[in-house]
Amino acid sequence: MKVNFGIMLKPPNEETITAWARLHRTHRQLLEQVEADLKRQGLPPLAWYDVLLEVQRAPNKTIRQFELGDKVLLSKHNLSRLLDRLEKQKLLRRELCQEDGRHNTIKLTAAGLAMLKRIWPVYGESIQTHFAARLSKN
C-alpha cells in the first residue's frame, strides 16, 4: 500500500514500517502486563508511580506543576486530574509557588514516598519478567 502525505526524501521501507508497528505493539503489551501485575497486588496504576517518581527525583522532593508536565507523558488535563487523585490520597501536596505565585508546586508526602517503595518491587519484577528475561546479548 502506497501512502502519499507530501514530499518525503526517502520513505521507510516495509521492513522499517513493520518494525515500527511491532515496537509500538510490544510497548503496549509490556505496559499492559505491568499494569496487570500492579493491579493483582492491589497497587495503583503505573501513571501514579511515574508522577510520584518525578516529584521524588526533584530537589527537595518538590517540583512546579508545569515542570512535572514536561517530564511525564500526560496531557495537562490528565495530569491535573491525576494530581487531584494523588492529593486526595495524601500522596502529594499542591501549594502555591512561593517564587511567583502563579504556579503550583507539587510536594511529595511521606505517604507518597511510602507508595513509591511499595510499587517499585512489583514494577521492577514485572520489568525483569516481561522484558529483561527475554533479551538476548545478540
Side-chain angles (χ1 to χ4, degrees), residues 72-122:
V72 296
L73 299 175
L74 294 170
S75 67
K76 280 185 178 183
H77 175 72
N78 286 337
L79 176 59
S80 184
R81 288 178 36 207
L82 178 54
L83 292 174
D84 289 342
R85 290 192 296 278
L86 294 170
E87 191 171 31
K88 186 175 182 179
Q89 295 295 318
K90 300 189 183 332
L91 300 177
L92 54 78
R93 192 172 57 248
R94 276 190 272 204
E95 300 172 347
L96 197 56
C97 182
Q98 301 268 338
E99 294 170 16
D100 65 18
R102 296 179 298 167
H103 300 283
N104 286 328
T105 57
I106 311 299
K107 185 162 184 69
L108 188 69
T109 64
L113 185 58
M115 180 60 75
L116 274 172
K117 291 178 180 180
R118 282 186 54 215
I119 295 172
W120 173 245
V122 176

Side-chain angles (χ1 to χ4, degrees), residues 47-58 68 108 116 123:
W48 287 38
Y49 180 84
D50 289 341
V51 167
L52 293 171
L53 181 65
E54 291 301 336
V55 179
Q56 188 268 335
R57 287 178 170 167
L68 180 60
L108 188 69
L116 274 172
Y123 185 19

